[in-house]
Amino acid sequence: MKKVNFFLAKSLIMALMCFSVIACEKESIRVNNYPISPVSKHETGTARIMMSHDNLKVREFYLYEGEDLTCTAGVAYRTDGIFCTLNGIQYHIEPDNILGAVRAKKITATQDGVLLYDVEYFYEGERLKSATIGAPPEGPYYTSYTYYDSHIIINDEGEHRLELCDEENTGYACNVLGYLETPLTTKYVINPALYFLNIYGKPVEKLPHGCEITRSGKTMRVGKNLYEYRD
């Protein structure tokens, strides 16, 4: 009987050790939070996004084309992710297992229950490093991002170089990675409206080179993009 109890005790200890290792592997890591200043309006060409906030969180989007309101969308923050429907497309943002900030681990886009695409996000040094895009019936596609002080190398259906200037991305309002209009990044990886939910990791701190940059009061213009900060 003592021999049997010994082996039972030993098995129990081994099981607890294995559980502890797995728990440690799944333990959340702490990531700094880089808040985006509340932007009440983002305008580019004839397209305009208006936003309302609860503290620093976007609660509603209002999408305009010219003077016509095309979409009103609420943002739901739940334990299983963030949910938002824009122009008939439902987005489910699954959060990464981190502490201190919120960032996307996976975004699934569906329409009328049919999968349009999904994106898995991978980070290094708190910044977006790469993404895997599933877009049936084609794909998967892959992108990657390498950051330097003066430029960013984007691998997105070929290698692209995004030059940065010395101007600060005030309040991180500007979606810098969207300025090259790389086909996969701008179509799938970073949604220009969802960018303001601050879900894509540490934003780029400098503005893109070669754009006319003007600041006046609570507004900032970077090329064809206008950002207006909330009062």
Side-chain angles (χ1 to χ4, degrees):
M1 181 64 69
K2 289 183 179 180
K3 189 174 183 180
V4 173
N5 288 341
F6 170 77
F7 283 112
L8 285 173
K10 185 176 180 181
S11 298
L12 180 59
I13 291 170
M14 291 298 294
L16 288 172
M17 289 176 64
C18 291
F19 176 80
S20 297
V21 170
I22 292 171
C24 288
E25 288 178 348
K26 292 184 177 181
E27 185 179 354
S28 300
I29 61 170
R30 179 162 292 279
V31 174
N32 290 322
N33 185 31
Y34 299 91
I36 293 176
S37 294
V39 174
S40 59
K41 178 173 73 173
H42 171 223
E43 188 174 279
T44 177
T46 59
R48 179 162 39 107
I49 303 172
M50 307 292 290
M51 287 159 273
S52 63
H53 297 77
D54 179 5
N55 294 323
L56 294 178
K57 286 185 176 181
V58 177
R59 286 297 179 179
E60 283 192 303
F61 289 107
Y62 307 89
L63 276 57
Y64 290 83
E65 182 58 42
E67 296 303 316
D68 298 326
L69 177 64
T70 61
C71 175
T72 299
V75 182
Y77 298 86
R78 300 186 346 201
T79 55
D80 56 341
I82 303 172
F83 296 81
C84 184
T85 300
L86 298 170
N87 289 329
I89 300 176
Q90 297 86 38
Y91 296 95
H92 175 201
I93 302 157
E94 298 178 39
D96 203 359
N97 186 28
I98 59 172
L99 298 173
V102 176
R103 69 185 184 192
K105 178 181 179 182
K106 183 176 182 179
I107 295 181
T108 303
T110 58
Q111 190 168 36
D112 299 326
V114 177
L115 176 67
L116 297 180
Y117 64 89
D118 55 33
V119 184
E120 290 189 72
Y121 298 84
F122 304 91
Y123 301 87
E124 184 178 283
E126 302 191 353
R127 278 212 169 108
L128 177 63
K129 179 62 179 177
S130 61
T132 301
I133 303 154
E138 300 174 345
Y141 304 107
Y142 305 94
T143 63
S144 66
Y145 311 87
T146 306
Y147 304 87
Y148 300 91
D149 290 339
S150 61
H151 63 281
I152 301 169
I153 298 297
I154 302 174
N155 279 292
D156 179 331
E157 295 193 345
E159 184 175 288
H160 309 266
R161 182 182 173 108
L162 174 61
E163 298 288 345
L164 303 176
C165 68
D166 293 330
E167 291 270 1
E168 290 187 7
N169 184 9
T170 307
Y172 301 114
C174 178
N175 172 16
V176 175
L177 290 177
Y179 271 71
L180 279 186
E181 298 185 1
T182 42
L184 299 175
T185 299
T186 53
K187 184 175 181 180
Y188 299 111
V189 179
I190 300 184
N191 182 298
L194 299 184
Y195 171 82
F196 295 104
L197 300 181
N198 198 15
I199 56 171
Y200 296 113
K202 182 181 179 180
V204 178
E205 293 145 316
K206 300 296 183 181
L207 293 174
H209 178 75
C211 294
E212 182 180 354
I213 300 168
T214 58
R215 305 174 194 266
S216 177
K218 295 185 181 298
T219 65
M220 176 177 70
R221 181 177 291 278
V222 184
K224 62 182 180 180
N225 291 269
L226 175 70
Y227 305 91
E228 185 172 298
Y229 299 95
R230 187 189 67 181
D231 291 333

